[in-house]
Amino acid sequence: MTNILELPETEIVPLRELDATVKVVGSKSYTNRFLAIAGLCHEQTVLRNALHSQDTILLAEALRAFGHVDVDLDAESATITVTPLGRPMRAPETAIDMGNAGTPIRFLITMAALAEGRTVLTGNTRMRERPMGHLLDALNTLGVDARAVHGNGSPPIEIPGSALVGGSTRIDGTVSSQFTSSLLISAPVTEKGVQLEVVGDLVSKPYVDMTIAALRQTGIAVGRREFSTFTVDGGQRYRGGEIAVEPDASGMSYFLAAAAVLGGRVTIPGIGPGSHQGDVGLVKAFVDMGCTATSDTDGITVTGGPLTGIDIDMGDMPDVAPTLAVVAAFARGRTHITGIGNLRVKECDRIDAVATELGKMGVTVDTTQDTMTVHGGTEPRGAVIDTYDDHRIAMAFAVAGLRTPGVVIREPGCVVKSFPNFWEVFQGLRGNG
Ligand SMILES: O=C(O)C1=C[C@@H](OP(=O)(O)O)[C@@H](O)[C@H](O)C1
Ligand SMILES: C=C(OP(=O)(O)O)C(=O)O
């Protein structure tokens, strides 16, 4: 069988009917959180339904490089086991290359300040443009002299060892929530704990809720006043044991979107109303556009209907904005998406990428620095879609190809960042429907 991941491009064959139950991979965000936590824990941690993707594997390998834990990755059983070796965390002699794994590198920047010795964290070309300056400023206030080697706030980042003891600091929340999460994850094992004040309007808030949920689940007490101040006492100990990771809500979005654009039905088991993953909010957006949905112990089900454009602030669910934009291309009327300025600093500039690629399909998209307006109503036409080494562009536009003939996705292998078996699951829609 052809491995789509290795092809220069793949043409999506349209699908007329869809009625499927889809098993998506474990959450990237929870896998990253529990891996980082396990890397600070003195007990063994076993993650079930853990995501084995490029980003989580890079984080696992980075933890191993600090020499204090063994990390066993069993992709077959979707299990990751992290076992402390009873040695201190020690910076590796060479720089750690984190590819374009944004969440992992940002979590590691703070963790590295707990290790012995100087750590250098770097990444690929795009990563070397991604912003980390706010996190460096917060660490500097805590007395950690972490710095961008080229003085531009981006990797490579150099972090001095044995430098983080805790204290009070402020974090600018307007660019990425990952900085707040990073500080919260390392805070409990510092000597003094951390009092954190978030300044500016925090983006991607649900990810901070996920961090706090992960900390509490592993035995950590966190005090908070909404999204403005967080207090974590030092000298706490993370609890190990077995942890089940829920399905990935961002990965789920492509299949729910398929139901929306085809007027079909898709059910995602294992995720429901109790989830802290903000991307679950896309379900309500689809309902507002004309779909019907249920969310209960069986999972989330979306059934497509005639679609109409909406106005929506996606600041709480940035990763599914490309998914919604593609669905909006098939809706009657205009969809106005706001609150998405930080889409410009993700794996690619996702505002420009979505506008350019939908443009190739004959769909007009107006953009500003932090908004996108998709003008639906004209049936999109087939096009060769560039993916900019961005998994979410590849997966979102694959959905368009289920309805529009002639959609070709270039470099489909980029999905490995968060969803290595995406194409397999996507092809599975045909057997199912
Ligand atoms: O904490 C996390 O797991 C993530 C936070 C979000 O980033 P920002 O806070 O930078 O928007 C999101 O885009 C990313 O894919 C995962
Ligand atoms: C933005 C993303 O990832 P990260 O910031 O972790 O690289 C993403 O997965 O869409």
Side-chain angles (χ1 to χ4, degrees):
M1 215 177 95
T2 332
N3 183 355
I4 297 179
L5 296 177
E6 288 164 8
L7 295 177
E9 58 184 40
T10 185
E11 178 158 356
I12 312 296
V13 178
L15 193 59
R16 254 177 305 144
E17 282 171 17
L18 175 61
D19 184 5
T21 296
V22 179
K23 186 176 173 339
V24 301
V25 285
S27 155
K28 181 189 79 147
S29 291
Y30 273 126
T31 303
N32 282 332
R33 280 161 176 70
F34 288 123
L35 263 175
I37 287 170
L40 296 171
C41 176
H42 295 283
E43 298 168 4
Q44 186 180 67
T45 303
V46 180
L47 303 182
R48 305 280 184 209
N49 194 39
L51 175 65
H52 287 61
S53 75
Q54 190 173 62
D55 281 16
T56 59
I57 293 170
L58 280 166
L59 179 52
E61 285 170 352
L63 292 177
R64 265 194 212 128
F66 283 98
H68 66 306
V69 287
D70 181 38
V71 187
D72 181 63
L73 297 160
D74 182 3
E76 194 75 32
S77 67
T79 301
I80 301 179
T81 307
V82 182
T83 310
L85 297 172
R87 296 200 284 263
M89 195 176 173
R90 191 167 291 141
E93 279 179 8
T94 51
I96 307 178
D97 186 345
M98 295 303 294
N100 197 5
T103 314
I105 200 173
R106 285 159 172 159
F107 290 179
L108 283 172
I109 289 173
T110 311
M111 287 172 73
L114 294 162
E116 290 176 8
R118 182 194 70 117
T119 301
V120 177
L121 295 167
T122 188
N124 71 8
T125 308
R126 176 61 177 170
M127 179 69 103
R128 282 183 258 126
E129 296 169 354
R130 295 185 69 184
M132 318 276 154
H134 294 156
L135 179 56
L136 302 181
D137 292 344
L139 286 168
N140 292 166
T141 304
L142 289 171
V144 177
D145 188 23
R147 61 179 199 101
V149 171
H150 302 303
N152 58 355
S154 295
I157 307 287
E158 190 180 288
I159 306 116
S162 312
L164 181 63
V165 290
S168 295
T169 191
R170 287 148 67 92
I171 185 81
D172 185 320
T174 58
V175 168
S176 174
S177 69
Q178 293 171 6
F179 308 147
T180 299
S181 290
S182 173
L183 294 163
L184 289 173
I185 288 169
S186 288
V189 302
T190 60
E191 196 184 307
K192 297 201 251 170
V194 175
Q195 285 77 49
L196 183 61
E197 185 192 343
V198 180
V199 292
D201 194 12
L202 180 67
V203 293
S204 304
K205 291 187 180 72
Y207 289 100
V208 172
D209 281 333
M210 290 170 71
T211 302
I212 289 171
L215 261 61
R216 289 185 174 151
Q217 192 177 336
T218 47
I220 299 300
V222 186
R224 69 184 289 185
R225 200 157 50 80
E226 293 170 9
F227 289 99
S228 62
T229 53
F230 298 91
T231 310
V232 184
D233 285 346
Q236 301 192 61
R237 282 175 89 84
Y238 276 113
R239 191 170 60 219
E242 203 163 302
I243 296 168
V245 176
E246 30 175 89
D248 191 83
S250 327
M252 163 180 91
S253 75
Y254 311 106
F255 300 96
L256 300 183
V261 301
L262 292 177
R265 177 203 66 93
V266 164
T267 296
I268 314 285
I271 183 162
S275 176
H276 290 290
Q277 295 183 68
D279 287 359
V280 166
L282 185 67
V283 175
K284 181 182 177 301
F286 285 164
V287 170
D288 292 344
M289 294 178 87
C291 297
T292 50
T294 56
S295 171
D296 51 38
T297 48
D298 291 338
I300 292 175
T301 298
V302 166
T303 307
L307 301 170
T308 312
I310 55 170
D311 284 2
I312 181 169
D313 181 337
M314 297 195 84
D316 279 355
M317 43 176 150
D319 290 359
V320 292
T323 319
L324 186 91
V326 165
V327 171
F330 297 95
R332 198 165 41 82
R334 187 198 77 128
T335 293
H336 185 51
I337 306 173
T338 55
I340 51 169
N342 81 350
L343 254 63
R344 293 197 182 276
V345 293
K346 304 276 183 194
E347 283 78 330
C348 71
D349 179 334
R350 289 180 175 160
I351 293 183
D352 277 359
V354 166
T356 305
E357 301 311 310
L358 278 179
K360 288 183 190 168
M361 296 184 72
V363 180
T364 304
V365 181
D366 301 323
T367 64
T368 68
Q369 192 49 35
D370 58 359
T371 69
M372 244 184 322
T373 307
V374 180
H375 297 273
T378 325
E379 192 61 33
R381 58 170 185 263
V384 177
I385 303 299
D386 285 300
T387 51
Y388 311 84
D389 200 18
D390 187 339
H391 53 146
R392 303 219 179 276
I393 302 298
M395 295 188 281
F397 279 84
V399 173
L402 289 176
R403 173 144 153 193
T404 304
V407 172
V408 174
I409 305 292
R410 282 209 171 123
E411 286 159 6
C414 61
V415 301
V416 297
K417 187 174 195 283
S418 68
F419 201 155
N421 67 340
F422 173 78
W423 295 111
E424 231 172 273
V425 179
F426 194 73
Q427 297 295 10
L429 295 178
R430 297 172 201 285
N432 243 321

